[in-house]
Amino acid sequence: MKFFLGILLFLASVIFGYISSTKFTKRTDLFSEFCAFNQLTISEVEFAQNTINTIINSIDSSFAKDVKSYLEQGNFIKYDFLNEEENNLILTYLKNVGAQDKISQLQYLKKIDLDINRRLDVCKEEMKKYKSLYVKVGYLVGLILFVLVL
């Protein structure tokens, strides 16, 4: 009986560590989509001179769907895996995208592109450091609980 309880605690700890580590993957994926969306918006506004709705409809990503939802309904759903500053960055971006003339829009998009790329690099570094750490800590805690139960 103790053996099965130990195995159950071990598996629960490993699963908890893995689930805790997924926030880093989600965060990196979101900023990758955000960066791609912003770069496409820059090129579309600068060269093709398409509207923001045309740009959004041409992209099939979860970030583009969130942008479309915000522009149509005006409600912003905070991402639970981002901190307050990152959520505010995205909200500010959504408020400003498509709201200005072409020249001002391009200046804003190019300026914020540097910040988005910097945050994407930070997200990738943190994912490399912490994702495997969370899984390993879950594994280690699971082993300790397994030994203590036996």
Side-chain angles (χ1 to χ4, degrees):
M1 183 68 178
K2 288 182 181 181
F3 181 74
F4 290 115
L5 180 61
I7 296 262
L8 182 64
L9 288 172
F10 172 75
L11 290 175
S13 295
V14 171
I15 290 171
F16 181 75
Y18 178 76
I19 289 172
S20 298
S21 73
T22 59
K23 82 174 193 176
F24 296 105
T25 305
K26 290 178 183 178
R27 191 168 165 237
T28 302
D29 291 345
L30 178 74
F31 273 102
S32 294
E33 288 180 5
F34 189 10
C35 185
F37 178 83
N38 190 58
Q39 289 172 349
L40 179 66
T41 304
I42 289 171
S43 64
E44 289 287 325
V45 168
E46 192 168 20
F47 300 112
Q49 299 181 359
N50 287 330
T51 64
I52 193 69
N53 288 329
T54 307
I55 297 167
I56 292 170
N57 291 330
S58 68
I59 302 172
D60 186 32
S61 72
S62 63
F63 183 76
K65 290 176 185 172
D66 293 343
V67 172
K68 185 176 184 177
S69 170
Y70 177 79
L71 292 176
E72 288 176 350
Q73 300 169 358
N75 59 345
F76 176 68
I77 301 169
K78 290 187 176 189
Y79 298 98
D80 57 347
F81 51 87
L82 296 180
N83 61 34
E84 191 68 30
E85 182 184 344
E86 292 166 340
N87 273 311
N88 287 337
L89 172 75
I90 293 174
L91 180 60
T92 304
Y93 180 86
L94 294 176
K95 286 180 180 178
N96 290 322
V97 72
Q100 303 164 350
D101 62 292
K102 178 184 172 184
I103 296 169
S104 301
Q105 187 74 51
L106 283 172
Q107 288 174 346
Y108 174 75
L109 292 173
K110 288 179 181 178
K111 180 183 151 226
I112 201 165
D113 192 50
L114 298 172
D115 193 25
I116 296 168
N117 283 318
R118 182 185 57 79
R119 289 176 191 269
L120 178 60
D121 292 340
V122 168
C123 288
K124 287 179 180 179
E125 287 177 23
E126 287 180 356
M127 187 171 82
K128 282 181 188 176
K129 279 195 257 183
Y130 298 120
K131 183 175 181 189
S132 63
L133 178 70
Y134 277 49
V135 174
K136 289 175 185 175
V137 167
Y139 181 77
L140 184 63
V141 168
L143 279 177
I144 292 170
L145 290 174
F146 180 75
V147 170
L148 287 176
V149 167
L150 292 180

